[in-house]
Amino acid sequence: MYKILYVGKFIPNEGAAGIHVYNIAKCLEEQGVEIVYVAYSKNSFKKNRIYDIRKPMGVIGSLKNVYDIITGCYEFDVFKNAIEKEHPNAVILYNTSNAITKKAINYCRQKNIRIIVENTEWYTVTSITSGLAGHLLTKSVDKRIRKTDNTADGVIVISKYLENHYKRQNVPTFNLPPLFSLEKESVERIQFRPIRFVYAGSPGGKDILKPFVDSIIEHNKHNDCNVEFHIYGINQKQLSHITGYQINAEDGVFAHGRVSHDEVIRAVSNSHFTVLLRHNMRYAKAGYSTKVAESLALGTPVICNNIGGTDVDINDSETGFKINDCDIKTLKNVINRVIEIGEMDYFNMRRACINYAQKRYAAQNYSETLLNFILGK
């Protein structure tokens, strides 16, 4: 049996990063691989051994955190301990800092252990005025992507943008989208009216929300066919802060706050379209939205803007709608396109989404080739 050490700042099967990693781990376990984590531990997670990289109480402090970002010393000590006890065949580093990546690669070279970097994002280096720790972390990751990842045995990437970057550096690369255990191919019918749009996530500065909210409210003011926009991840107060005005129930926009992942899945599954609008910037091209992959896997088409990121996997009028900008006029037009879809045509869109997801995101499609790449076969 092969053993792989999965390293990173995530809680297995929790949050976007933890779920992403856990699904890849399950994919490898189907090939008989034993997965051991060097990550954040949680008592409720008993499936795999975890070497906890969370610093004990008493050593947490802003200066200590900055020092660890620069040196990676605490994580590396935990990493070395795991290597000595587990003797893995390979190591995967998930979005680690430059410091820990360099140390881990050098250490694995000494131990003759295969080491793979997994990269799912590439954010612009933040200004030091927005916070010292954030500035140092984004700078560290940027340096890692440019100068350190190419010294690993290979890189797992999530997008064509990152794949092209590493191929220019002659790095062995494996392009792996978000994975899911997709077994059912049936298409569930949902109530056809009212039309429900959904967004799930924490918009921050990466997702564009206000123009679509404005468009929904504007539409409902002047049309008899009301539509709804359900938002998960932020509450009504946070949404009002984003829009700059108070939103009422009759506007058709509902912010449900943070809810469980299972509740989000139910909401997306019972909605007509997922909405994801992003800025035309590197982070959107380098990453891949799990929200989009999950939506397609559930049979829910996606509305997105055309920026050369995750949107490349949306076939216009088949698995969703792609728009060229986020202007109010454009968004109102796409809302009207949705309203004009007949029930049978919409049902066919849901079927097309599931068919596409079966080909693109099903874990069983990648398990053998992924393991061979990690092991260097």
Side-chain angles (χ1 to χ4, degrees), residues 326-337:
C326 298
D327 292 343
I328 298 293
K329 182 179 179 181
T330 302
L331 293 171
K332 286 172 67 176
N333 284 341
V334 80
I335 291 170
N336 288 329
R337 287 182 71 185

Side-chain angles (χ1 to χ4, degrees), residues 40-323:
Y40 292 141
S41 180
K42 192 169 185 179
N43 291 335
S44 59
F45 186 83
K46 305 290 185 183
K47 188 174 181 296
N48 305 74
R49 286 191 301 285
I50 302 178
Y51 290 79
D52 197 352
I53 60 171
R54 197 188 308 272
K55 292 184 282 294
M57 295 301 292
V59 298
I60 299 176
S62 58
L63 290 178
K64 180 67 177 175
N65 286 340
V66 169
Y67 178 74
D68 278 339
I69 289 172
I70 297 172
T71 66
C73 58
Y74 185 83
E75 292 173 59
F76 185 61
D77 286 342
V78 178
F79 171 79
K80 284 194 298 182
N81 181 44
I83 291 285
E84 296 300 326
K85 289 185 177 181
E86 299 293 342
H87 305 289
N89 301 96
V91 170
I92 302 174
L93 302 178
Y94 175 79
N95 289 342
T96 48
S97 69
N98 187 56
I100 187 67
T101 302
K102 286 179 70 174
K103 290 183 177 184
I105 289 173
N106 290 336
Y107 190 76
C108 286
R109 287 282 180 271
Q110 297 170 21
K111 298 289 183 178
N112 197 30
I113 298 171
R114 290 268 303 176
I115 184 162
I116 304 295
V117 168
E118 183 184 358
N119 191 12
T120 65
E121 57 192 22
W122 192 357
Y123 284 95
T124 302
V125 178
T126 61
S127 168
I128 196 168
T129 58
S130 63
L132 180 59
H135 169 74
L136 290 174
L137 182 58
T138 52
K139 188 175 181 179
S140 170
V141 171
D142 186 76
K143 185 176 181 180
R144 187 207 83 211
I145 294 171
R146 295 181 187 277
K147 297 184 177 180
T148 304
D149 289 351
N150 59 8
T151 63
D153 292 305
V155 181
I156 299 170
V157 299
I158 202 167
S159 66
K160 193 69 178 178
Y161 184 94
L162 287 174
E163 181 182 359
N164 290 338
H165 164 75
Y166 289 115
K167 281 188 172 180
R168 285 193 293 270
Q169 296 184 333
N170 297 315
V171 184
T173 306
F174 193 98
N175 194 328
L176 187 69
L179 299 183
F180 303 100
S181 297
L182 301 177
E183 298 172 0
K184 294 195 304 180
E185 296 186 24
S186 60
V187 183
E188 294 184 10
R189 290 187 179 273
I190 64 172
Q191 183 181 334
F192 194 53
R193 291 291 188 269
I195 291 172
R196 294 179 300 280
F197 299 94
V198 66
Y199 167 86
S202 301
K206 68 183 190 301
D207 294 344
I208 302 170
L209 209 55
K210 184 180 184 301
F212 199 78
V213 172
D214 293 342
S215 302
I216 292 287
I217 294 174
E218 185 70 17
H219 171 89
N220 286 340
K221 279 181 181 178
H222 300 100
N223 293 274
D224 294 332
C225 182
N226 283 359
V227 297
E228 298 177 359
F229 186 27
H230 292 268
I231 301 169
Y232 294 85
I234 59 173
N235 58 34
Q236 210 73 22
K237 183 178 179 180
Q238 292 168 317
L239 178 58
S240 294
H241 179 74
I242 291 171
T243 59
Y245 55 82
Q246 192 67 34
I247 295 172
N248 302 310
E250 58 268 23
D251 293 325
V253 179
F254 307 93
H256 300 276
R258 293 180 63 85
V259 300
S260 69
H261 184 246
D262 286 343
E263 191 170 341
V264 170
I265 293 296
R266 285 194 295 271
V268 173
S269 183
N270 289 315
S271 296
H272 295 90
F273 282 85
T274 288
V275 177
L276 183 69
L277 307 175
R278 289 190 160 171
H279 301 282
N280 190 2
M281 297 173 66
R282 186 178 66 196
Y283 79 89
K285 301 173 192 289
Y288 193 104
S289 172
T290 303
K291 305 167 194 171
V292 168
E294 207 161 47
S295 184
L296 295 178
L298 292 167
T300 303
V302 176
I303 293 173
C304 59
N305 54 326
N306 197 354
I307 56 171
T310 310
D311 56 279
V312 299
D313 277 350
I314 300 301
N315 190 350
D316 192 68
S317 299
E318 184 176 336
T319 55
F321 292 119
K322 288 203 281 192
I323 55 179

